[in-house]
Amino acid sequence: MPACNPDLCLTLPDPLPLDSGATLAPVTIAYQQYGELSPERDNVVLIFHALTGDQYVASPHPATGKPGWWDRMVGPRKPIDTNRFCVISTNVIGGCMGSTGPASEGPDGKPYGQRFPVVTIHDMVRAIAGLLDVLEIDKVHAAVGGSMGGMQAMAFASDFPGRAERVLVLASAARQSAQNIAFHEVGRQAIMADANWNGGAYYDGAHPDAGLAVARMAAHITYLSEAGLTEKFGRRLQQRPDGSDGAKSFGFEADFQVESYLRYQGSGFTRRFDANSYLYITRAIDYFDLAETHGGRLADAFAHTSSRFCIVSFDTDWLYTTEESRHIVRALNAAGAPVSFVELSSPYGHDGFLLDTPGLDEVVQGFVS
Amino acid sequence: MPACNPDLCLTLPDPLPLDSGATLAPVTIAYQQYGELSPERDNVVLIFHALTGDQYVASPHPATGKPGWWDRMVGPRKPIDTNRFCVISTNVIGGCMGSTGPASEGPDGKPYGQRFPVVTIHDMVRAIAGLLDVLEIDKVHAAVGGSMGGMQAMAFASDFPGRAERVLVLASAARQSAQNIAFHEVGRQAIMADANWNGGAYYDGAHPDAGLAVARMAAHITYLSEAGLTEKFGRRLQQRPDGSDGAKSFGFEADFQVESYLRYQGSGFTRRFDANSYLYITRAIDYFDLAETHGGRLADAFAHTSSRFCIVSFDTDWLYTTEESRHIVRALNAAGAPVSFVELSSPYGHDGFLLDTPGLDEVVQGFVS
């Protein structure tokens, strides 16, 4: 089996109704497939990506050349074994890796920019269900996602009961908290404060890279744990450009290693991500509250589910805490859905679901298989 | 006693040597005095301000008209009783409320901007000691500060042993953590990403308000607690401009109350604070590690102290945690200095030291009196 199929793209046959009341058309979904679809079409593991993720789960990212974001989890004889499963991963609508988003051509042939409609997590999932329809996949073996991907997995289970046998939710929440909305708003304001943003119409000029980098830096802090940052960087100083030991510059260069690391994260991000997509996707996350359309009762969102659930949290994750996971578990219990819950111990904070957290592989493999 | 003495300003007689090796001259210190100096000159309570604070502790801020930042704590018959004590509070060097800072005239008569030397917490304290010399105050009854003000109080005790009888440190740390450096770096990058920043030379044109507002927004989140934000705002939507109930706009307006609040905090801040001062003061905080010049052993920083200490932390403060306070307490114990320690329970996070936290007034009054 090849490690990576060629890029795949598909345009939905119908316009997509959105939660806002608007309609999106045409809707193109860029996706990747790893492993072979069984003749019975019953071995699909659907993987939803997080805010800045994409469909390149287990194959190199075309812009950066880096391995897929879950390369350690997905592949032949890996915890999600592509010798057995057909993994399908899509780029969300609103994204910037091939699915219809703000950088796509609008009806007038020019990039949507801010004319792109605000989409929700439910809209993203509706588009993906449309993709499965075209691919004639009625039901997936498992729906899997971390962070925003976990929100999509829950929305998929809730909005399309019967279409996922198993639902695995990692480092996620059934609603975005006030603090997390606040961090996203800082990022959005940083982008919109960049003169190059130009109301979202920047595609034929300089992009708002400085603002996007600041947004990424702020968000990145929330993905790590305080203890992890202390262990990784502490107050250690950056080696000077001439190779000498670190010393305070008494200026505004990146004296501390943690500053240098953050700047690198920020600037690297601008080479692979679109600022408008960052606005739209953070908005979708902030709007997410799975209980909202069920009278505020989360259990009711799962009332018709036939899925088995596994909820995984990470003890140092302060973005989507274990308490948020317990909230999901309690609702699933109240709905009578089969659910297992694991809190894993990890030094990595929210990023724990992406990294080599002890026990994670076993949990994923055990539940998905 | 009048609630507020007229603005006071004083230029130090000597150039100020800085930790960077540079020298600052002239050095003007803007300060406020509340209460009368006793004939014995022995009733001074010296209050150090935090990052965005100033000398207007207990009198209206000249730019905003709002009450002083510690008006609830300082005044006649208040916990720090100005019928008894003479409170002196200064604006730090590097600041923007009258003390010499980046907006001050440099040697060529033009604003320093980025030509202002990077200063440290120790430099700030050295300048204040210079002010006390001019005022002929050998020893203060108490040195008090929260957050960066606590850093100054500790530095004052360490660098000028014998000059403070009591040292009260609230919501502070003996060193800036990696995570806190990271948050400051986000703020600095937001300012420097603003095209109006112009390398710091913006005083005769538009100021980098958008960048400064983003910096303030990011920092403001760290001053509150997650639970406090949830209680205060949760996911509640903002009333619409037409007075109707909140509804999602499916756009990028401030739909959530927490977004509106943050934007207000950001824009209000730009009316009273200078972006370059924000850069310099955050840098001073990031450079702070009281143990650094004592072989990394914090106890040695307090080896010659004759002060009594009181260290106060707030249980929901995740910027300067209780653990950081305990670290200070352990060092003071090791140095044989008398120290009491209190962790107060507060919903307000780091801002607990500024607000009506149960028990705070009693602790401050009891220790200072």
Side-chain angles (χ1 to χ4, degrees), chain A residues 272-322:
Chain A
R272 70 172 180 89
F273 215 82
D274 177 50
N276 277 329
S277 281
Y278 197 85
L279 299 179
Y280 279 90
I281 299 177
T282 55
R283 199 48 153 172
I285 297 172
D286 291 353
Y287 274 3
F288 187 65
D289 179 0
L290 188 55
E292 194 177 49
T293 50
H294 299 273
R297 193 164 178 270
L298 185 59
D300 289 352
F302 297 119
H304 304 291
T305 190
S306 61
S307 308
R308 292 169 45 202
F309 289 80
C310 179
I311 312 297
V312 180
S313 72
F314 298 83
D315 61 351
T316 54
D317 183 354
W318 57 280
L319 193 67
Y320 296 117
T321 61
T322 289

Short mmCIF file of all heavy atoms in Angstrom, two decimals, chain A residues 272-322:
data_model
loop_
_atom_site.label_atom_id
_atom_site.label_comp_id
_atom_site.label_asym_id
_atom_site.label_seq_id
_atom_site.Cartn_x
_atom_site.Cartn_y
_atom_site.Cartn_z
N ARG A 272 1.97 28.43 5.85
CA ARG A 272 1.08 27.33 5.48
C ARG A 272 -0.39 27.62 5.79
O ARG A 272 -1.24 26.76 5.56
CB ARG A 272 1.50 26.04 6.20
CG ARG A 272 1.27 26.04 7.71
CD ARG A 272 1.55 24.65 8.28
NE ARG A 272 1.33 24.60 9.71
CZ ARG A 272 0.17 24.32 10.31
NH1 ARG A 272 -0.91 24.08 9.57
NH2 ARG A 272 0.07 24.27 11.62
N PHE A 273 -0.70 28.81 6.28
CA PHE A 273 -2.08 29.03 6.69
C PHE A 273 -2.57 30.40 6.22
O PHE A 273 -1.80 31.37 6.16
CB PHE A 273 -2.20 28.93 8.22
CG PHE A 273 -3.51 28.31 8.65
CD1 PHE A 273 -3.67 26.94 8.66
CD2 PHE A 273 -4.60 29.10 9.00
CE1 PHE A 273 -4.87 26.35 9.01
CE2 PHE A 273 -5.81 28.53 9.37
CZ PHE A 273 -5.95 27.16 9.37
N ASP A 274 -3.85 30.44 5.92
CA ASP A 274 -4.46 31.67 5.44
C ASP A 274 -5.12 32.41 6.61
O ASP A 274 -5.88 31.82 7.39
CB ASP A 274 -5.51 31.33 4.38
CG ASP A 274 -6.25 32.57 3.90
OD1 ASP A 274 -5.57 33.55 3.54
OD2 ASP A 274 -7.49 32.56 3.90
N ALA A 275 -4.85 33.70 6.70
CA ALA A 275 -5.35 34.49 7.83
C ALA A 275 -6.87 34.50 7.89
O ALA A 275 -7.46 34.40 8.96
CB ALA A 275 -4.80 35.92 7.76
N ASN A 276 -7.52 34.63 6.75
CA ASN A 276 -8.98 34.61 6.77
C ASN A 276 -9.51 33.26 7.27
O ASN A 276 -10.49 33.21 8.02
CB ASN A 276 -9.55 34.91 5.37
CG ASN A 276 -9.62 36.40 5.07
OD1 ASN A 276 -9.80 37.22 5.97
ND2 ASN A 276 -9.46 36.75 3.80
N SER A 277 -8.88 32.17 6.85
CA SER A 277 -9.30 30.86 7.37
C SER A 277 -9.16 30.82 8.88
O SER A 277 -10.00 30.23 9.57
CB SER A 277 -8.46 29.73 6.75
OG SER A 277 -8.92 29.44 5.45
N TYR A 278 -8.12 31.45 9.40
CA TYR A 278 -7.95 31.48 10.85
C TYR A 278 -9.12 32.19 11.51
O TYR A 278 -9.63 31.76 12.55
CB TYR A 278 -6.62 32.16 11.23
CG TYR A 278 -6.19 31.85 12.65
CD1 TYR A 278 -5.47 30.69 12.93
CD2 TYR A 278 -6.52 32.69 13.70
CE1 TYR A 278 -5.09 30.39 14.23
CE2 TYR A 278 -6.15 32.40 15.00
CZ TYR A 278 -5.43 31.24 15.26
OH TYR A 278 -5.06 30.94 16.55
N LEU A 279 -9.56 33.29 10.91
CA LEU A 279 -10.73 34.00 11.44
C LEU A 279 -11.96 33.10 11.42
O LEU A 279 -12.68 32.97 12.41
CB LEU A 279 -11.01 35.25 10.62
CG LEU A 279 -9.92 36.33 10.57
CD1 LEU A 279 -10.37 37.49 9.68
CD2 LEU A 279 -9.59 36.84 11.96
N TYR A 280 -12.22 32.49 10.27
CA TYR A 280 -13.45 31.71 10.11
C TYR A 280 -13.46 30.46 11.00
O TYR A 280 -14.48 30.11 11.58
CB TYR A 280 -13.66 31.31 8.64
CG TYR A 280 -14.26 32.45 7.83
CD1 TYR A 280 -13.44 33.38 7.20
CD2 TYR A 280 -15.63 32.62 7.74
CE1 TYR A 280 -13.97 34.44 6.48
CE2 TYR A 280 -16.18 33.68 7.02
CZ TYR A 280 -15.34 34.58 6.39
OH TYR A 280 -15.88 35.64 5.70
N ILE A 281 -12.34 29.80 11.07
CA ILE A 281 -12.34 28.54 11.84
C ILE A 281 -12.40 28.82 13.34
O ILE A 281 -13.11 28.13 14.08
CB ILE A 281 -11.12 27.66 11.46
CG1 ILE A 281 -11.19 27.31 9.97
CG2 ILE A 281 -11.10 26.39 12.30
CD1 ILE A 281 -10.01 26.50 9.45
N THR A 282 -11.69 29.87 13.80
CA THR A 282 -11.83 30.19 15.23
C THR A 282 -13.28 30.60 15.54
O THR A 282 -13.80 30.27 16.60
CB THR A 282 -10.88 31.33 15.68
OG1 THR A 282 -11.09 32.48 14.85
CG2 THR A 282 -9.42 30.89 15.62
N ARG A 283 -13.91 31.28 14.61
CA ARG A 283 -15.30 31.68 14.82
C ARG A 283 -16.20 30.44 14.95
O ARG A 283 -17.09 30.39 15.81
CB ARG A 283 -15.78 32.56 13.67
CG ARG A 283 -17.00 33.40 13.97
CD ARG A 283 -16.85 34.11 15.27
NE ARG A 283 -17.59 35.35 15.37
CZ ARG A 283 -17.70 36.04 16.50
NH1 ARG A 283 -17.10 35.60 17.61
NH2 ARG A 283 -18.37 37.15 16.56
N ALA A 284 -15.95 29.47 14.07
CA ALA A 284 -16.74 28.24 14.12
C ALA A 284 -16.58 27.56 15.48
O ALA A 284 -17.56 27.08 16.08
CB ALA A 284 -16.31 27.30 13.00
N ILE A 285 -15.36 27.53 15.99
CA ILE A 285 -15.12 26.90 17.29
C ILE A 285 -15.84 27.68 18.39
O ILE A 285 -16.48 27.11 19.27
CB ILE A 285 -13.60 26.81 17.58
CG1 ILE A 285 -12.91 25.92 16.56
CG2 ILE A 285 -13.36 26.31 19.00
CD1 ILE A 285 -11.39 25.92 16.66
N ASP A 286 -15.71 29.01 18.33
CA ASP A 286 -16.33 29.83 19.39
C ASP A 286 -17.85 29.67 19.39
O ASP A 286 -18.47 29.71 20.46
CB ASP A 286 -15.98 31.31 19.19
CG ASP A 286 -14.50 31.58 19.46
OD1 ASP A 286 -13.81 30.67 19.92
OD2 ASP A 286 -14.06 32.70 19.20
N TYR A 287 -18.43 29.50 18.22
CA TYR A 287 -19.88 29.33 18.14
C TYR A 287 -20.32 27.95 18.64
O TYR A 287 -21.51 27.73 18.83
CB TYR A 287 -20.34 29.50 16.68
CG TYR A 287 -20.63 30.94 16.26
CD1 TYR A 287 -20.42 32.01 17.12
CD2 TYR A 287 -21.12 31.22 14.99
CE1 TYR A 287 -20.70 33.31 16.72
CE2 TYR A 287 -21.40 32.52 14.59
CZ TYR A 287 -21.17 33.56 15.46
OH TYR A 287 -21.45 34.85 15.06
N PHE A 288 -19.38 27.04 18.81
CA PHE A 288 -19.77 25.66 19.12
C PHE A 288 -20.26 25.51 20.55
O PHE A 288 -19.56 25.81 21.52
CB PHE A 288 -18.59 24.71 18.88
CG PHE A 288 -18.97 23.26 19.01
CD1 PHE A 288 -19.87 22.68 18.12
CD2 PHE A 288 -18.45 22.47 20.02
CE1 PHE A 288 -20.23 21.33 18.23
CE2 PHE A 288 -18.79 21.13 20.14
CZ PHE A 288 -19.68 20.57 19.25
N ASP A 289 -21.46 25.03 20.65
CA ASP A 289 -22.07 24.65 21.93
C ASP A 289 -23.09 23.58 21.58
O ASP A 289 -24.22 23.88 21.19
CB ASP A 289 -22.72 25.86 22.60
CG ASP A 289 -23.37 25.49 23.93
OD1 ASP A 289 -23.31 24.31 24.32
OD2 ASP A 289 -23.93 26.39 24.57
N LEU A 290 -22.68 22.34 21.71
CA LEU A 290 -23.48 21.22 21.18
C LEU A 290 -24.86 21.15 21.83
O LEU A 290 -25.83 20.70 21.22
CB LEU A 290 -22.71 19.91 21.39
CG LEU A 290 -23.27 18.64 20.74
CD1 LEU A 290 -23.48 18.81 19.24
CD2 LEU A 290 -22.34 17.45 21.00
N ALA A 291 -24.95 21.63 23.07
CA ALA A 291 -26.23 21.56 23.78
C ALA A 291 -27.22 22.63 23.31
O ALA A 291 -28.42 22.52 23.55
CB ALA A 291 -25.99 21.71 25.28
N GLU A 292 -26.68 23.66 22.65
CA GLU A 292 -27.46 24.87 22.40
C GLU A 292 -28.78 24.60 21.66
O GLU A 292 -29.83 25.14 22.02
CB GLU A 292 -26.61 25.84 21.59
CG GLU A 292 -27.16 27.24 21.53
CD GLU A 292 -26.18 28.14 20.77
OE1 GLU A 292 -25.74 27.76 19.67
OE2 GLU A 292 -25.86 29.22 21.29
N THR A 293 -28.72 23.78 20.64
CA THR A 293 -29.94 23.52 19.86
C THR A 293 -30.74 22.37 20.47
O THR A 293 -31.69 21.87 19.85
CB THR A 293 -29.57 23.18 18.40
OG1 THR A 293 -28.57 22.16 18.40
CG2 THR A 293 -29.06 24.41 17.68
N HIS A 294 -30.38 21.97 21.68
CA HIS A 294 -31.11 20.92 22.39
C HIS A 294 -31.57 21.44 23.75
O HIS A 294 -31.47 20.74 24.76
CB HIS A 294 -30.24 19.67 22.54
CG HIS A 294 -29.83 19.08 21.22
ND1 HIS A 294 -30.61 18.18 20.53
CD2 HIS A 294 -28.76 19.34 20.43
CE1 HIS A 294 -30.02 17.87 19.38
NE2 HIS A 294 -28.89 18.56 19.29
N GLY A 295 -32.00 22.67 23.75
CA GLY A 295 -32.53 23.27 24.98
C GLY A 295 -31.49 23.40 26.07
O GLY A 295 -31.85 23.47 27.26
N GLY A 296 -30.21 23.43 25.69
CA GLY A 296 -29.16 23.58 26.68
C GLY A 296 -28.83 22.28 27.41
O GLY A 296 -27.99 22.27 28.31
N ARG A 297 -29.46 21.18 26.99
CA ARG A 297 -29.21 19.90 27.68
C ARG A 297 -28.36 19.02 26.77
O ARG A 297 -28.85 18.50 25.76
CB ARG A 297 -30.55 19.25 28.03
CG ARG A 297 -30.40 18.10 29.00
CD ARG A 297 -31.71 17.66 29.65
NE ARG A 297 -31.44 16.53 30.53
CZ ARG A 297 -31.50 15.25 30.13
NH1 ARG A 297 -31.86 14.95 28.90
NH2 ARG A 297 -31.22 14.27 30.99
N LEU A 298 -27.10 18.85 27.15
CA LEU A 298 -26.17 18.13 26.29
C LEU A 298 -26.61 16.70 26.06
O LEU A 298 -26.44 16.16 24.96
CB LEU A 298 -24.76 18.20 26.89
CG LEU A 298 -23.64 17.59 26.04
CD1 LEU A 298 -23.55 18.27 24.67
CD2 LEU A 298 -22.29 17.69 26.76
N ALA A 299 -27.17 16.07 27.08
CA ALA A 299 -27.60 14.67 26.92
C ALA A 299 -28.58 14.54 25.75
O ALA A 299 -28.55 13.55 25.01
CB ALA A 299 -28.25 14.17 28.21
N ASP A 300 -29.40 15.57 25.57
CA ASP A 300 -30.38 15.49 24.49
C ASP A 300 -29.73 15.53 23.11
O ASP A 300 -30.31 15.06 22.13
CB ASP A 300 -31.41 16.63 24.62
CG ASP A 300 -32.35 16.41 25.80
OD1 ASP A 300 -32.29 15.31 26.40
OD2 ASP A 300 -33.11 17.33 26.13
N ALA A 301 -28.55 16.12 23.05
CA ALA A 301 -27.83 16.12 21.77
C ALA A 301 -27.43 14.71 21.36
O ALA A 301 -27.23 14.42 20.18
CB ALA A 301 -26.59 17.01 21.86
N PHE A 302 -27.32 13.85 22.36
CA PHE A 302 -26.91 12.46 22.09
C PHE A 302 -28.08 11.48 22.20
O PHE A 302 -27.88 10.27 22.23
CB PHE A 302 -25.81 12.04 23.07
CG PHE A 302 -24.54 12.84 22.96
CD1 PHE A 302 -24.06 13.59 24.03
CD2 PHE A 302 -23.80 12.83 21.77
CE1 PHE A 302 -22.88 14.31 23.92
CE2 PHE A 302 -22.63 13.55 21.66
CZ PHE A 302 -22.17 14.30 22.74
N ALA A 303 -29.30 12.01 22.27
CA ALA A 303 -30.46 11.15 22.56
C ALA A 303 -30.65 10.04 21.53
O ALA A 303 -31.07 8.93 21.87
CB ALA A 303 -31.73 12.02 22.65
N HIS A 304 -30.35 10.34 20.29
CA HIS A 304 -30.63 9.36 19.24
C HIS A 304 -29.38 8.64 18.75
O HIS A 304 -29.41 7.95 17.74
CB HIS A 304 -31.31 10.07 18.05
CG HIS A 304 -32.54 10.80 18.47
ND1 HIS A 304 -33.69 10.15 18.87
CD2 HIS A 304 -32.81 12.13 18.58
CE1 HIS A 304 -34.62 11.06 19.20
NE2 HIS A 304 -34.10 12.26 19.04
N THR A 305 -28.30 8.80 19.48
CA THR A 305 -27.05 8.21 19.00
C THR A 305 -27.06 6.70 19.16
O THR A 305 -27.68 6.16 20.09
CB THR A 305 -25.84 8.80 19.74
OG1 THR A 305 -24.66 8.37 19.05
CG2 THR A 305 -25.77 8.33 21.18
N SER A 306 -26.41 6.03 18.23
CA SER A 306 -26.23 4.59 18.36
C SER A 306 -24.74 4.25 18.46
O SER A 306 -24.35 3.09 18.36
CB SER A 306 -26.83 3.88 17.14
OG SER A 306 -26.17 4.31 15.97
N SER A 307 -23.94 5.30 18.66
CA SER A 307 -22.48 5.11 18.66
C SER A 307 -21.99 4.70 20.04
O SER A 307 -22.60 5.01 21.06
CB SER A 307 -21.77 6.41 18.26
OG SER A 307 -22.28 6.92 17.05
N ARG A 308 -20.83 4.06 20.03
CA ARG A 308 -20.05 3.88 21.26
C ARG A 308 -19.04 5.03 21.32
O ARG A 308 -18.46 5.40 20.28
CB ARG A 308 -19.28 2.56 21.23
CG ARG A 308 -20.14 1.32 21.30
CD ARG A 308 -19.31 0.08 21.00
NE ARG A 308 -18.04 0.11 21.71
CZ ARG A 308 -16.96 -0.58 21.34
NH1 ARG A 308 -16.99 -1.34 20.25
NH2 ARG A 308 -15.85 -0.52 22.04
N PHE A 309 -18.81 5.54 22.49
CA PHE A 309 -17.94 6.70 22.63
C PHE A 309 -16.72 6.38 23.48
O PHE A 309 -16.79 5.57 24.41
CB PHE A 309 -18.69 7.87 23.30
CG PHE A 309 -19.73 8.50 22.42
CD1 PHE A 309 -20.98 7.90 22.28
CD2 PHE A 309 -19.47 9.66 21.73
CE1 PHE A 309 -21.95 8.47 21.47
CE2 PHE A 309 -20.43 10.24 20.92
CZ PHE A 309 -21.68 9.64 20.78
N CYS A 310 -15.64 7.05 23.14
CA CYS A 310 -14.47 7.07 24.03
C CYS A 310 -14.01 8.52 24.13
O CYS A 310 -13.77 9.17 23.11
CB CYS A 310 -13.36 6.18 23.49
SG CYS A 310 -11.87 6.19 24.52
N ILE A 311 -13.92 9.01 25.35
CA ILE A 311 -13.52 10.40 25.60
C ILE A 311 -12.18 10.38 26.30
O ILE A 311 -12.02 9.70 27.32
CB ILE A 311 -14.58 11.12 26.48
CG1 ILE A 311 -16.01 10.89 25.98
CG2 ILE A 311 -14.25 12.60 26.62
CD1 ILE A 311 -16.31 11.44 24.60
N VAL A 312 -11.22 11.13 25.76
CA VAL A 312 -9.87 11.14 26.31
C VAL A 312 -9.46 12.57 26.64
O VAL A 312 -9.58 13.46 25.79
CB VAL A 312 -8.85 10.54 25.31
CG1 VAL A 312 -7.44 10.55 25.89
CG2 VAL A 312 -9.26 9.13 24.91
N SER A 313 -9.01 12.77 27.86
CA SER A 313 -8.48 14.09 28.22
C SER A 313 -7.02 13.94 28.67
O SER A 313 -6.54 12.83 28.88
CB SER A 313 -9.31 14.71 29.35
OG SER A 313 -9.08 14.03 30.57
N PHE A 314 -6.35 15.06 28.82
CA PHE A 314 -4.94 15.08 29.20
C PHE A 314 -4.78 15.98 30.42
O PHE A 314 -5.27 17.12 30.42
CB PHE A 314 -4.10 15.58 28.01
CG PHE A 314 -4.22 14.68 26.82
CD1 PHE A 314 -5.29 14.78 25.95
CD2 PHE A 314 -3.30 13.65 26.61
CE1 PHE A 314 -5.43 13.91 24.87
CE2 PHE A 314 -3.43 12.78 25.54
CZ PHE A 314 -4.51 12.90 24.67
N ASP A 315 -4.10 15.46 31.42
CA ASP A 315 -4.15 16.14 32.72
C ASP A 315 -3.56 17.54 32.72
O ASP A 315 -3.95 18.37 33.54
CB ASP A 315 -3.53 15.27 33.83
CG ASP A 315 -2.05 14.96 33.58
OD1 ASP A 315 -1.54 15.27 32.48
OD2 ASP A 315 -1.42 14.39 34.48
N THR A 316 -2.64 17.82 31.81
CA THR A 316 -2.03 19.16 31.78
C THR A 316 -2.67 20.07 30.72
O THR A 316 -2.16 21.15 30.45
CB THR A 316 -0.52 19.07 31.50
OG1 THR A 316 -0.33 18.30 30.30
CG2 THR A 316 0.22 18.41 32.66
N ASP A 317 -3.74 19.61 30.10
CA ASP A 317 -4.43 20.40 29.08
C ASP A 317 -5.30 21.45 29.78
O ASP A 317 -6.29 21.11 30.42
CB ASP A 317 -5.30 19.47 28.22
CG ASP A 317 -6.00 20.20 27.08
OD1 ASP A 317 -5.93 21.43 26.99
OD2 ASP A 317 -6.62 19.49 26.26
N TRP A 318 -4.95 22.71 29.66
CA TRP A 318 -5.76 23.76 30.30
C TRP A 318 -6.64 24.47 29.28
O TRP A 318 -7.42 25.34 29.64
CB TRP A 318 -4.89 24.73 31.10
CG TRP A 318 -3.81 25.45 30.36
CD1 TRP A 318 -2.58 24.95 30.03
CD2 TRP A 318 -3.83 26.79 29.88
NE1 TRP A 318 -1.84 25.90 29.37
CE2 TRP A 318 -2.58 27.03 29.26
CE3 TRP A 318 -4.76 27.82 29.91
CZ2 TRP A 318 -2.25 28.26 28.67
CZ3 TRP A 318 -4.42 29.05 29.32
CH2 TRP A 318 -3.19 29.25 28.72
N LEU A 319 -6.51 24.10 28.01
CA LEU A 319 -7.39 24.67 26.98
C LEU A 319 -8.73 23.93 27.01
O LEU A 319 -9.80 24.54 27.09
CB LEU A 319 -6.72 24.54 25.61
CG LEU A 319 -7.34 25.34 24.48
CD1 LEU A 319 -7.19 26.84 24.69
CD2 LEU A 319 -6.73 24.94 23.14
N TYR A 320 -8.66 22.61 26.89
CA TYR A 320 -9.86 21.77 27.03
C TYR A 320 -9.58 20.79 28.17
O TYR A 320 -8.95 19.75 27.97
CB TYR A 320 -10.17 21.05 25.71
CG TYR A 320 -10.52 22.02 24.60
CD1 TYR A 320 -9.73 22.13 23.46
CD2 TYR A 320 -11.63 22.85 24.70
CE1 TYR A 320 -10.04 23.04 22.46
CE2 TYR A 320 -11.95 23.77 23.70
CZ TYR A 320 -11.15 23.85 22.59
OH TYR A 320 -11.45 24.76 21.60
N THR A 321 -10.04 21.17 29.32
CA THR A 321 -9.65 20.47 30.55
C THR A 321 -10.37 19.14 30.70
O THR A 321 -11.37 18.86 30.03
CB THR A 321 -10.00 21.33 31.77
OG1 THR A 321 -11.43 21.52 31.78
CG2 THR A 321 -9.32 22.68 31.72
N THR A 322 -9.86 18.35 31.60
CA THR A 322 -10.51 17.09 31.95
C THR A 322 -11.95 17.34 32.40
O THR A 322 -12.85 16.55 32.11
CB THR A 322 -9.71 16.39 33.07
OG1 THR A 322 -8.48 15.91 32.50
CG2 THR A 322 -10.48 15.22 33.67
#
